[in-house]
Structure formats: structure tokens, C-alpha cells
Amino acid sequence: MTSPQLQVFAEDFVFLEGPRWRFGKLWVADVNGKKVYTLTEQGERAVCVEVPARPSGIGFLPDGTPLVVSMKDRTLQRVEHGRLIRHASVAHLVEGEINDMVVDGRGNAYVGSMGYDLFAGAKFKPGNLVLVTPKGEARVVAEELHFPNGPVVTPDNRTLVVAESWGKRLTAFRIEADGSLSGRRTFADLGDYTPDGITLDAEGAIWVAAFANNAFVRVRDGGEIAEVISAGARRAVACTLGGADLRTLYCLTFAGEMKDIGKGLRAARIETARVAVPGAGSP
């Protein structure tokens, strides 16, 4: 199979994370631009909300209310009428800033903690996953994760897969009835690929944004690499499947290195590719 070429969809952002397709629009968090945007399929953008403490992962409660990770103050915020309303604080449960998240069909949010202050040059420590229930109650449900990133949940709400960026693997858990995670296993050993944001497709394969490898990689359960799309000289940050038929792969890319992320450069953009297998709706 010949892999498609990425096409520029929208640009002039600082550093993008957390792409989601909901309600006929693409949602993205400009982490250092401190805004959440929505974009139509035609590329028309609007500011959904400003997040002073830096947004990252985005999710939605069963009634459609958006949730957004507020990184620096380690809270999860609801977006109501264009304003932020605190849904939960997880500061007492994590070390380092919180990052990406996924919300399952029951409204349970799974939030990843870096585990240490990456951008201050702190020494590596494993992070964790925190469950935040629809009522805003929080508890740790997985530990010893090597920089958890980009989680997804299967449509039956039974399996969660999270990227471990520094572990270079995707790790799967069984979701129990109370939202706890069990049965930890390796979904895919990614070899040299460093995973960041991920998205699930209808065949159960996962598209991985491989940050350090400048590529978007489709991997099957067990580790088989099915497809690779090059991002050229740009870093691959995150991706999601969307559009009316869920066959547009929206890819977030960045022109710079890890050390450049906090400099405020408008070096991020959204690129797209058409793929054969539609999305499964997660994250």
C-alpha cells in the first residue's frame, strides 16, 4: 500500500495537543497558546475557551459537555457557556503536570500524569493514570507508567490503551465495572517509535503519532506495523480520525525540538491524510 501524503489543513498555532472529532467539528488544544479551538471540515476556526493554566487533553461527558485538562494547576475543567468550571482537582494524586486524557462512554475520565517536571529538566520518574468519575471523584487507577500519553477506549468501554512515550510501547488495560483498570498487558512494542497522541480505528488498530520519528504509524494489537505516513521534517504530536465519514486522519505537527515547545513560536499546524479504515470514536 502506498501511504498518503499529508496536506496542510490549518496553521499558525503555538503547540497543539488533544485532537478530537465531535459534533461535526475538530477540537484541538493550543497548549502554549492557552486556547481550545474548534474547526469545521472547511477549516473555519473559532475559540471555544481560554485556559490560562495551559490546556491539553479534551473529552466529553455523556450529555456532550466538554472537559479539558488544565495542565499547570492539575485540574480537570468543564466548559459551560464559554467558561471554565472546575470538575475535579487531581493535584494531590500526581507528580508533575497532567497531560492527555480520554473519557469513556460512561463519563469516566482517565487523566495521565507526567510524573516529573519534564520541561524544568527534572530527573525521570514514572507517572500514573487518574480516574475522574462523572461526579468529579478522583483516584489513581494505574501506576509506573513511563510518561503516559494519548489514551483511547474501545467502543464497548471494556479496554483502555495508553501510550507510554518513554517506554516506546502501547499498554492495554481491562476496564472494570467501577472504572478500575486491571489485566495490564503490552498492546504493541513499538521498537524505535516514540508514541505521543494516538487514535483508535474501526478495525481495532491504533494510529500513533511518533514524535521523535516524524511519522504517523498504524499499528495492530500485537505490534504489527500496518502503515507509516511521514511528517517530513516536522514532529508528529497527536492525531485523530474525523470528518463526516471518519476517514480523515487529522495530524498535529510541530516544527521544532522538545526544547522549543515552550518558546511561544507559532510552529504548529494541522495536516490531513485520507485513510481506508474509519475511526472508532476514541479519543
Side-chain angles (χ1 to χ4, degrees):
M1 178 185 294
T2 301
S3 294
Q5 298 292 312
L6 290 177
Q7 304 293 324
V8 177
F9 175 70
E11 49 192 348
D12 192 31
F13 300 97
V14 184
F15 186 77
L16 294 175
E17 275 280 12
R20 311 288 187 253
W21 181 264
R22 292 293 189 283
F23 316 122
K25 294 181 180 180
L26 178 69
W27 301 61
V28 292
D30 192 337
V31 176
N32 292 312
K34 300 180 181 179
K35 294 179 177 67
V36 173
Y37 291 92
T38 61
L39 295 94
T40 67
E41 280 194 89
Q42 293 72 41
E44 298 171 357
R45 77 182 75 176
V47 175
C48 170
V49 70
E50 296 193 15
V51 184
R54 297 165 55 235
S56 186
I58 301 169
F60 302 86
L61 293 172
D63 67 1
T65 300
L67 295 177
V68 60
V69 164
S70 183
M71 297 179 70
K72 189 174 181 179
D73 61 7
R74 305 173 196 179
T75 64
L76 190 55
Q77 303 279 342
R78 298 192 307 276
V79 182
E80 298 183 1
H81 308 294
R83 297 188 305 117
L84 297 177
I85 305 294
R86 180 175 290 194
H87 187 61
S89 173
V90 301
H92 59 298
L93 299 172
V94 303
E95 291 191 45
E97 293 185 348
I98 55 177
N99 187 22
D100 211 345
M101 76 164 171
V102 67
V103 181
D104 71 11
R106 294 171 291 195
N108 287 326
Y110 294 88
V111 183
S113 162
M114 296 180 186
Y116 67 111
D117 192 341
L118 169 69
F119 297 107
K123 184 178 178 181
F124 167 79
K125 290 178 65 176
N128 59 16
L129 276 180
V130 176
L131 165 66
V132 178
T133 71
K135 294 182 179 180
E137 300 164 344
R139 69 181 191 273
V140 175
V141 289
E143 298 183 276
E144 295 297 315
L145 295 166
H146 287 214
F147 204 94
N149 231 322
V152 297
V153 170
T154 55
D156 61 7
N157 293 313
R158 293 182 178 177
T159 303
L160 179 145
V161 183
V162 61
E164 292 189 69
S165 294
W166 303 153
K168 296 186 177 181
R169 60 181 171 257
L170 303 181
T171 299
F173 294 89
R174 183 171 58 252
I175 302 175
E176 304 294 347
D178 66 352
S180 298
L181 301 180
S182 64
R184 181 174 181 163
R185 68 178 179 87
T186 298
F187 180 96
D189 182 334
L190 295 171
D192 291 332
Y193 290 116
T194 304
D196 197 327
I198 65 178
T199 193
L200 182 70
D201 74 22
E203 291 184 352
I206 290 176
W207 280 98
V208 176
F211 183 89
N213 315 89
N214 298 13
F216 295 89
V217 181
R218 184 172 182 254
V219 61
R220 296 191 174 98
D221 194 349
E224 177 191 355
I225 302 296
E227 193 168 354
V228 178
I229 299 175
S230 173
R234 300 178 66 87
R235 296 302 190 186
V237 180
C239 55
T240 200
L241 287 157
D245 61 1
L246 298 181
R247 285 186 167 89
T248 298
L249 185 67
Y250 290 96
C251 300
L252 309 186
T253 65
F254 179 71
E257 304 298 327
M258 187 77 72
K259 61 183 174 60
D260 299 318
I261 290 175
K263 294 180 178 179
L265 307 172
R266 302 197 73 83
R269 68 188 183 198
I270 306 167
E271 305 184 53
T272 61
R274 293 288 291 168
V275 299
V277 180
S282 186

